[in-house]
């Protein structure tokens, strides 16, 4: 099974900061990597698919990069609405794996 | 707008059974793989099971293999999860999500999710 490891687990940042979250796969997944945002009590929302493609309606302040086993999600200028938990997910088969999540909180 | 609406959650005793359903609308249901993903209270997301559009390919997480059965009814645009031999650790919000599988060199992430249904396993 493919394991996904996110870092950091918690990230404290201020409004306006540029933040980066890293996700590492235990084996190559090509570019089949997605990022989701989840707020408490709300369904996860797709932000990025295929490592770097922005999902419909997602603002361009979110960007993704990477391939193979190393991936990053960057938020260019953190706004109050962006404080949430972010998950990476590999989807290169009918068996998915999620990272453990990164909680972005207000410093 | 794509809609996925889960139902069937509730309180069940350890060892009991429950059947979850997901009603899909506003897209060609049979053309898409579907999945169940769960989230225990205060924890992260865990993929549970996938089924291809035709129902011909099915996969399960090791944690539920042999206890849970995924199925779909393309005529009724519905997805199901039969959960048997439930354990306390199965307590979670269960989401249905569209996506999964690979075809023509493209793989598909979870682009739409339902609002979730809570399953609580407790005596």
């Amino acid at each position: 099974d493919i394991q996904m490891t996110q870092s950091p687990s918690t990230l404290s940042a201020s409004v306006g900061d540029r933040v980066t979250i890293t996700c590492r796969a235990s084996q190559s997944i090509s570019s089949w990597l997605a990022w989701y945002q989840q707020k408490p009590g709300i369904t996860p929302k797709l932000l990025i698919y295929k490592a770097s493609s922005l999902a419909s309606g997602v603002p361009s302040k979110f960007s993704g990069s990477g391939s193979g086993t190393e991936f990053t999600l960057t938020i260019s200028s953190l706004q109050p609405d962006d404080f949430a938990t972010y998950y990476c997910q590999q989807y290169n088969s009918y068996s998915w794996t999620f990272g453990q999540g990164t909680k972005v909180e207000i410093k | 707008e794509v809609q996925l609406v889960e139902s069937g959650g509730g309180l069940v005793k350890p060892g009991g059974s429950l059947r979850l359903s997901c009603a899909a609308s506003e897209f060609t249901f049979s053309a898409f793989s579907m999945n169940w993903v769960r989230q225990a209270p205060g924890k992260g997301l865990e993929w549970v099971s996938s089924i291809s559009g035709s129902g011909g390919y099915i996969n399960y997480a090791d944690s539920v293999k042999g206890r849970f059965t995924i199925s779909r009814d393309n005529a009724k645009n519905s997805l199901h999860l039969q959960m048997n031999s439930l354990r306390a650790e199965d307590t979670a919000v269960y989401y249905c999500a569209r996506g999964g599988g690979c075809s023509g060199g493209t793989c598909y992430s979870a682009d739409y999710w339902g609002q979730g249904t809570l399953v609580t396993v407790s005596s």
Side-chain angles (χ1 to χ4, degrees):
Chain A
D1 290 359
I2 301 173
Q3 308 301 318
M4 305 299 292
T5 304
Q6 273 181 250
S7 60
S9 297
T10 305
L11 191 160
S12 296
S14 301
V15 172
D17 283 355
R18 176 185 178 92
V19 300
T20 297
I21 300 168
T22 298
C23 183
R24 180 176 292 113
S26 59
Q27 64 189 71
S28 177
I29 56 171
S30 184
S31 295
W32 305 119
L33 189 284
W35 291 96
Y36 300 88
Q37 178 194 65
Q38 189 181 33
K39 298 177 183 178
I42 297 179
T43 295
K45 174 186 175 183
L46 177 65
L47 298 176
I48 301 283
Y49 65 96
K50 206 176 177 183
S52 61
S53 296
L54 210 58
S56 177
V58 174
S60 58
K61 64 179 175 179
F62 293 96
S63 63
S65 65
S67 66
T69 61
E70 297 278 339
F71 303 87
T72 60
L73 171 71
T74 299
I75 309 172
S76 61
S77 177
L78 210 57
Q79 298 302 307
D81 190 49
D82 302 329
F83 291 95
T85 299
Y86 294 83
Y87 295 93
C88 65
Q89 176 216 24
Q90 69 80 17
Y91 60 98
N92 77 335
S93 67
Y94 279 102
S95 174
W96 293 347
T97 317
F98 292 90
Q100 78 277 19
T102 295
K103 184 177 181 180
V104 177
E105 56 184 30
I106 301 173
K107 183 185 284 185
Chain B
E1 176 79 24
V2 169
Q3 286 209 356
L4 298 169
V5 180
E6 300 94 337
S7 61
L11 175 64
V12 61
K13 289 181 168 54
S17 298
L18 213 54
R19 187 180 192 236
L20 306 183
S21 296
C22 173
S25 60
E26 303 303 324
F27 68 99
T28 305
F29 183 66
S30 60
F32 290 85
S33 296
M34 297 294 296
N35 307 265
W36 290 98
V37 176
R38 68 184 181 183
Q39 186 169 37
K43 302 298 184 183
L45 301 169
E46 179 189 15
W47 168 78
V48 173
S49 182
S50 293
I51 185 168
S52 62
S54 66
Y57 192 87
I58 287 173
N59 203 7
Y60 298 98
D62 287 344
S63 58
V64 306
K65 203 171 290 184
R67 300 187 300 122
F68 289 11
T69 302
I70 192 171
S71 63
R72 64 190 297 160
D73 184 337
N74 286 343
K76 295 182 178 179
N77 291 347
S78 60
L79 175 72
H80 305 283
L81 186 68
Q82 177 66 42
M83 304 186 296
N84 298 332
S85 303
L86 283 160
R87 306 166 179 166
E89 54 266 36
D90 295 318
T91 294
V93 173
Y94 284 73
Y95 297 100
C96 69
R98 189 180 84 166
C102 302
S103 170
T106 298
C107 299
Y108 298 92
S109 59
D111 56 356
Y112 287 95
W113 299 61
Q115 84 290 348
T117 187
L118 177 63
V119 172
T120 303
V121 184
S122 174
S123 54

